[in-house]
Amino acid sequence: MINRNDKSLGLSATAHVPHTDVPQKAKDFTTDQEVRWCPGCGDYVILATIRSFLPELGLKRENMMFVSGIGCSSRLPYYLDTYGVHSIHGRAPAVATGLAVTRPDLSVWVVTGDGDALSIGGNHLIHALRRNVNLTILLFNNRIYGLTKGQYSPTSEVGKVTKSTPLGSVDHPFNTLSLALGAEATFVARALDSDRKGLTEVLRAAAAHRGTSFVEIYQDCPIFNDGSFDVLRKEGSEARLIPLTHGEPVVFGNAGEYCVVRSGFGLKVVSTADVHPDDIVVHDAHTDDPDYAHALSRLSDQDLTHTVIGVFRSVVRDTYDDAVRRQNDSAREKDPVDEGSLQRVLTGHDTWTV
């Protein structure tokens, strides 16, 4: 997986992005635009968390680009005082790829939703992930189409009653992180909108990763899917949430009464008292073996009986944009051309007369 001769490996995601010496605060990333989401929407918390986190990066705001598609989540670039593009439905990863390839001096982010990214945009998403473009994708998952008033989405549960499925959905939903890992994503994580500390930690790791960072954020839609993740916030949620820390045993519960162990080719949850401590899985986010992270993603289910949060996978691989730039540089060295010569481009080797 790792090309030891690639000089870009080991660099941070923002190695070529200009930094500022001026201290920044959350208010520096706040625009004069009125924030227009429904009262109680989880997007407010996510926006506040992102604004509070961005000053940590110390980047010049004019070198930050947020690209969105269509949907409630895709309004976010309006509310960040950076550059932003409200692009085409599902095509934000394609627009962001062009920016990342041509402008290594930019920190490029994609803001999308479960409908935008996983339905019409599914093809663009998986190819951005497999190519490992140097950008960060934030997928707000509320399991519903909010902007178009409450239709079921690719992550809605089987049996979900919505305006477009009045008798209950018969579609089997995506396991979003399994999909990302199947596309060989090099960084995959999940966080909750209401967990600002956990979300900030995930954002911090994602922003530092060189390559495509994919972060799923469970987010409440109080109008069309209210309370969809309440079981992960209320008393007793400790028995459902499985937090990941690299290098630490995967143990959870109020007093660590549950843990994760290997079971055949996968993983399962058991009582900590029933197993030897050496049998408990120690989380390794940096292993090159994608099967482990995929097994972790399968622990999360539709009913939220168990939900794994944190960084599932973070590995090093050459990025698409770095490879394209090296290839272009090599071509120029072998065949120097007058970059201002349009005629040479038009009448080059691959032309013919009709």
Side-chain angles (χ1 to χ4, degrees), residues 140-337:
F140 298 11
N141 182 5
N142 57 18
R143 293 179 161 186
I144 202 77
Y145 277 95
L147 188 66
T148 51
K149 306 300 183 273
Q151 298 82 7
Y152 83 109
S153 86
T155 57
S156 296
E157 316 91 292
V158 172
K160 187 74 173 180
V161 176
T162 73
K163 292 180 178 179
S164 57
T165 54
L167 301 180
S169 171
V170 296
D171 277 7
H172 186 78
F174 276 127
N175 181 315
T176 310
L177 297 195
S178 294
L179 176 73
L181 290 161
E184 297 288 346
T186 56
F187 183 100
V188 175
R190 177 188 289 133
L192 294 174
D193 57 358
S194 57
D195 179 11
R196 290 191 63 167
K197 181 177 182 293
L199 176 56
T200 300
E201 290 175 355
V202 165
L203 291 175
R204 186 177 293 123
H209 178 75
R210 190 168 189 83
T212 305
S213 298
F214 180 78
V215 179
E216 177 186 34
I217 306 172
Y218 280 167
Q219 170 254 326
D220 191 46
C221 174
I223 305 302
F224 299 109
N225 202 18
D226 191 26
S228 52
F229 299 110
D230 277 359
V231 293
L232 302 180
R233 315 177 203 276
K234 295 180 178 178
E235 184 177 352
S237 62
E238 296 86 359
R240 296 175 179 268
L241 288 170
I242 306 176
L244 300 174
T245 302
H246 177 70
E248 296 292 331
V250 184
V251 175
F252 64 103
N254 273 319
E257 60 267 35
Y258 305 105
C259 66
V260 173
V261 298
R262 296 192 178 275
S263 176
F265 292 107
L267 302 171
K268 68 177 181 180
V269 173
V270 298
S271 172
T272 306
D274 293 339
V275 298
H276 191 278
D278 292 344
D279 293 332
I280 300 174
V281 169
V282 175
H283 180 48
D284 184 0
H286 304 318
T287 176
D288 280 348
D289 179 10
D291 292 339
Y292 164 67
H294 186 267
L296 275 177
S297 73
R298 305 311 295 174
L299 287 175
S300 302
D301 52 34
Q302 286 187 64
D303 298 329
L304 306 177
T305 303
H306 293 117
T307 299
V308 185
I309 57 174
V311 178
F312 288 58
R313 188 178 197 225
S314 179
V315 297
V316 177
R317 194 176 77 215
D318 191 13
T319 69
Y320 176 81
D321 43 307
D322 284 330
V324 168
R325 288 189 291 270
R326 287 198 307 273
Q327 189 177 67
N328 288 342
D329 291 342
S330 177
R332 291 190 186 98
E333 290 175 2
K334 292 179 181 178
D335 183 19
V337 298

Side-chain angles (χ1 to χ4, degrees), residues 100-156:
V101 170
T102 57
R103 291 289 303 273
D105 61 324
L106 295 180
S107 174
V108 183
W109 299 65
V110 169
V111 181
T112 184
D114 45 307
D116 185 54
L118 298 174
S119 186
I120 191 171
N123 208 39
H124 293 280
L125 175 68
I126 60 173
H127 290 301
L129 294 171
R130 77 172 177 87
R131 286 171 173 152
N132 198 36
V133 187
N134 188 33
L135 51 87
T136 301
I137 300 175
L138 306 181
L139 188 150
F140 298 11
N141 182 5
N142 57 18
R143 293 179 161 186
I144 202 77
Y145 277 95
L147 188 66
T148 51
K149 306 300 183 273
Q151 298 82 7
Y152 83 109
S153 86
T155 57
S156 296

